[in-house]
Amino acid sequence: MCPVTPGFAFPHFIALRHPMSNDPKSHLAGLLQHALTRLAPDVSADIQLERPRQASHGDFATNLAMQLARVLKDNPRQIAERLISLLPASEWLAGAEIAGAGFINFTLTTAAKTRVVADILAAGTAWGRGSAKPGRVQVEFVSANPTGPLHVGHGRGAAVGDCLCRLLEVAGWDVTREFYYNDAGAQIDNLTRSVQLRARGVTPDDPAWPEDGYRGDYIIDVARAFLARETVAADDQHVTANGDPADTEAIRHFAVAYLRREQDQDLKAFGVKFDVFSLESALYADGRVEAAVRALVDKGHTYEQDGALWLRTTAFGDDKDRVMRKQDGGYTYFVPDVAYHLDKWRRGFTRVINEQGADHHSTVTRVRAGLQALDAGIPVGWPEYVLHQMVMVVRNGEEVKISKRAGSYVTLRDLIEEVGRDATRYFLVARSPDSQLVFDIDLALSRSNENPVYYIQYAHARISSVLQQCPDDGDAGGVDLAPLGSEKELALCARLGEYPALVENAASEHAPHLVAGYLKDLAADFHAWYNADRLLEDDAALRTARLALARAVRQTLVNGLDILGVSAPETM
RNA sequence: CCGCCCGUAGCUCAACCGGAUAGAGCACCGGCCUUCUAAGCCGGGGGUUAGGGGUUCGAGUCCCUUCGGGCGGGCCA
């Protein structure tokens, strides 16, 4: 399978302890564990290996000796020296030396560094995939109210949520994507009233127009379609308008269906698909809300005051108690939220991650408190949350605030139409969700290395172009990688080797932006190599080895771009 | 007043559960295409990591505090 793999002579018991450790990092960890066991059998330590920033510090470094210094009450450098002397022989290891305050710097053999190329070509699309994880995880994201077009903030939620799902799947989880529609609250009443008024010819500048009515032009579209008795298909149902402006319920039904269809189209254009759509109205219709309220009352965490029913959320970490049933008899929004999450738990999701805008962060404590009050065996930190900060759209250095269609915000559809799906997805996911995001339209449209999307895609297109000229050279299996060894090649191999751990880390940290950053670094390493070393060399052995490396880079770009939901074009 | 997020080069951002001399890109200056895609590469200048304390062998990273920005704190969602 891999001709450059030497016959490694590492001890049998290490092989047993690290059955999967065929990458250099795990291998080194095994060697260190062996040395530690012989040095201090009773001491266990978290063996950390990291890639030093500086090349002169070797390929991997560990702070193990410094960590042990306190426990063993000895000088770190002396501990390091003894650890080195106890390391088993390994043909992967070219050297190990003490540096600084007690670091051990490891240098790998060239064969150990380049073998990742063979691993990648053998794994293909499975390169970077983690082992299957137990349990099922549900990710709820977007969950926009069906009261208007999706805006940039929803776009960020869609991009982050969907990339998170793809990351979790690659990391080995069984993922369900869910969208929750608040189709039962006051905002829907407001929508209904706005459409009804428009259907009767009332405009937002009329004194009769309600203060909080929806003013966007899309309301005109809905009203016009209703009067024209159109039929809209949303998800699983078809709704036909009866065209009667006096029929409030008909308007409500039609308007919600119409806007759900609009949102579905936007999400489809954005490349986001959901497995399950849940409706708030269904929670009321089949009694799940009432059942949750009864359960909370039965558990004794509620009380009546000022004509309202309260939940004692302060018993579960909230800073004040919350009203469940208002004086007018209706429930506050967090009651269906609790009922909804109880339902998620009963559906068997051991993990639930809610991706939302940070402006909703106050619901986190409330929902968790409500679930704890139910005493249903739900873990304290369940569900998990990923909260993204605000997005500001900028063009020509100035903030863009208004979309004609939506009236008060920039829509996701506007962005996709202007800068394209790939750039929109990349930019919305490339920053930590914790940070506010400036979406620069000029940058997203620019065609230079200012624009990381094209920079990464260009690397893929370049490789594809070269490989097209030698379709079979350096293909998977049996390639001799020994000719590889230039500085740029080894740097590239090291970068490729980071990929599986990066995916694992990004998934567990809920941080899809790390994938975006990695791909930019990988593309940079490739472009640097491409300009330094010629791929289509006359020397057959060298050419074949280099094309194998190029294939490995391309495979990693493809796998990584797939996590972001960004395309990998063959030509540009 | 309270809670959450953020503060790193002129600008936009990195820095792998505390590691060695804090890195890229843009902008600025200077180079590289009669050979694989110049949407590319190479080199140069640019920093008290907002300020101040603390924890320790070691802090951009953890704790406290001050300042600044954003978002919340409805019987709205």
Side-chain angles (χ1 to χ4, degrees):
Chain A
M1 178 60 84
C2 177
V4 296
T5 305
F8 292 111
F10 61 83
H12 184 57
F13 57 89
I14 290 181
L16 284 179
R17 198 171 298 158
H18 297 272
M20 301 301 283
S21 58
N22 59 355
D23 67 290
K25 188 173 175 178
S26 313
H27 180 72
L28 287 176
L31 299 181
L32 275 170
Q33 181 60 55
H34 175 83
L36 174 60
T37 304
R38 286 180 60 186
L39 176 70
D42 302 331
V43 176
S44 67
D46 177 26
I47 295 179
Q48 297 173 27
L49 282 156
E50 58 172 28
R51 306 194 57 82
R53 283 203 266 250
Q54 235 181 308
S56 64
H57 292 152
D59 298 306
F60 282 97
T62 184
N63 59 0
L64 181 60
M66 285 134 92
Q67 284 191 315
L68 293 173
R70 194 178 307 167
V71 187
L72 300 180
K73 299 186 194 302
D74 201 350
N75 180 318
R77 288 186 66 101
Q78 262 168 26
I79 295 172
E81 197 167 336
R82 277 152 65 202
L83 282 172
I84 290 175
S85 70
L86 292 170
L87 285 173
S90 164
E91 293 191 28
W92 296 39
L93 201 53
E97 54 186 34
I98 307 169
F103 289 98
I104 301 174
N105 292 339
F106 295 101
T107 309
L108 299 172
T109 60
T110 302
K113 293 180 198 177
T114 58
R115 59 160 297 141
V116 67
V117 172
D119 291 343
I120 295 170
L121 296 183
T125 54
W127 163 242
R129 185 149 303 181
S131 54
K133 307 293 189 292
R136 297 164 60 221
V137 54
Q138 183 222 57
V139 181
E140 182 206 323
F141 59 112
V142 185
S143 295
N145 290 348
T147 55
L150 298 178
H151 55 64
V152 209
H154 294 128
R156 188 175 195 186
V160 170
D162 188 53
C163 291
L164 182 58
C165 289
R166 292 163 184 252
L167 252 181
L168 290 167
E169 283 166 346
V170 169
W173 293 91
D174 177 10
V175 179
T176 299
R177 293 162 166 80
E178 186 147 328
F179 189 124
Y180 177 65
Y181 278 102
N182 288 107
D183 64 340
Q187 295 308 315
I188 300 298
D189 295 339
N190 192 0
L191 169 74
T192 305
R193 193 161 52 244
S194 301
V195 172
Q196 189 166 43
L197 286 168
R198 276 291 196 180
R200 287 172 168 157
V202 181
T203 58
D205 47 19
D206 191 292
W209 193 269
E211 184 70 26
D212 55 352
Y214 290 103
R215 293 157 189 272
D217 285 359
Y218 68 92
I219 296 292
I220 303 174
D221 300 338
V222 181
R224 192 174 291 147
F226 178 79
L227 293 174
R229 305 185 182 188
E230 286 184 14
T231 299
V232 297
D235 305 329
D236 46 352
Q237 57 174 337
H238 294 257
V239 176
T240 301
N242 65 12
D244 177 6
D247 190 341
T248 308
E249 278 315 300
I251 292 174
R252 176 196 307 271
H253 199 198
F254 180 77
V256 168
Y258 187 98
L259 290 168
R260 285 181 63 186
R261 183 189 65 178
E262 291 289 297
Q263 294 185 355
D264 285 350
Q265 288 172 349
D266 291 351
L267 292 168
K268 193 175 176 190
F270 204 39
V272 177
K273 288 198 180 84
F274 288 88
D275 303 303
V276 178
F277 290 89
S278 283
L279 273 60
E280 182 186 11
S281 57
L283 295 171
Y284 284 101
D286 63 16
R288 277 174 288 177
V289 172
E290 278 298 335
V293 171
R294 270 200 311 278
L296 288 168
V297 172
D298 288 347
K299 291 295 176 184
H301 296 297
T302 61
Y303 60 91
E304 299 262 357
Q305 186 180 306
D306 304 330
L309 179 67
W310 296 69
L311 181 66
R312 206 182 306 280
T313 53
T314 48
F316 304 96
D318 205 351
D319 57 352
K320 58 180 80 160
D321 291 340
R322 305 292 168 177
V323 169
M324 294 171 60
R325 193 193 303 121
K326 297 179 281 185
Q327 287 177 340
D328 68 9
Y331 291 114
T332 58
Y333 66 90
F334 104 96
V335 174
D337 276 358
V338 170
Y340 176 44
H341 282 86
L342 176 62
D343 184 68
K344 289 185 183 185
W345 175 256
R346 290 192 170 147
R347 278 189 275 156
F349 293 110
T350 48
R351 288 184 70 193
V352 164
I353 302 173
N354 291 332
E355 206 288 349
Q356 305 178 343
D359 53 339
H360 288 75
H361 79 253
S362 60
T363 68
V364 175
T365 311
R366 238 167 280 185
V367 167
R368 285 179 177 162
L371 291 171
Q372 289 307 304
L374 283 168
D375 193 20
I378 298 173
V380 171
W382 191 100
E384 303 160 58
Y385 282 85
V386 174
L387 304 176
H388 65 261
Q389 299 288 326
M390 303 289 99
V391 183
M392 179 171 77
V393 179
V394 167
R395 188 207 313 271
N396 299 325
E398 287 178 18
E399 180 173 3
V400 183
K401 281 187 171 167
I402 306 296
S403 146
K404 188 169 187 316
R405 209 167 132 265
S408 57
Y409 50 81
V410 179
T411 66
L412 175 60
R413 189 177 297 180
D414 291 343
L415 271 186
I416 295 174
E417 282 172 1
E418 183 156 8
V419 308
R421 191 183 100 172
D422 285 344
T424 305
R425 283 192 74 123
Y426 186 92
F427 278 81
L428 288 177
V429 85
R431 302 283 170 251
S432 164
D434 284 340
S435 295
Q436 291 168 43
L437 174 64
V438 176
F439 193 109
D440 186 335
I441 289 182
D442 305 309
L443 182 62
L445 283 171
S446 78
R447 300 186 151 212
S448 71
N449 61 358
E450 286 180 77
N451 190 332
V453 190
Y454 289 131
Y455 186 78
I456 296 164
Q457 290 180 323
Y458 184 51
H460 181 269
R462 264 186 157 174
I463 297 172
S464 299
S465 172
V466 173
L467 291 178
Q468 206 163 23
Q469 297 169 53
C470 297
D472 304 317
D473 213 346
D475 208 344
V479 175
D480 180 7
L481 299 170
L484 298 179
S486 76
E487 181 196 338
K488 306 286 191 199
E489 284 162 350
L490 296 181
L492 199 44
C493 286
R495 183 76 68 190
L496 291 171
E498 295 171 10
Y499 183 70
L502 174 105
V503 169
E504 180 66 38
N505 186 247
S508 64
E509 298 291 314
H510 304 155
H513 69 285
L514 295 177
V515 177
Y518 172 84
L519 291 175
K520 206 166 75 166
D521 290 341
L522 175 60
D525 288 337
F526 168 75
H527 287 308
W529 176 51
Y530 182 91
N531 279 275
D533 297 337
R534 190 174 163 73
L535 275 67
L536 297 177
E537 281 283 352
D538 291 337
D539 181 289
L542 182 56
R543 181 180 68 241
T544 302
R546 285 185 172 167
L547 290 177
L549 174 55
R551 284 179 200 282
V553 173
R554 182 169 71 163
Q555 186 68 63
T556 307
L557 288 171
V558 166
N559 293 5
L561 284 170
D562 188 58
I563 290 172
L564 301 183
V566 173
S567 69
E570 301 276 325
T571 59
M572 287 176 74

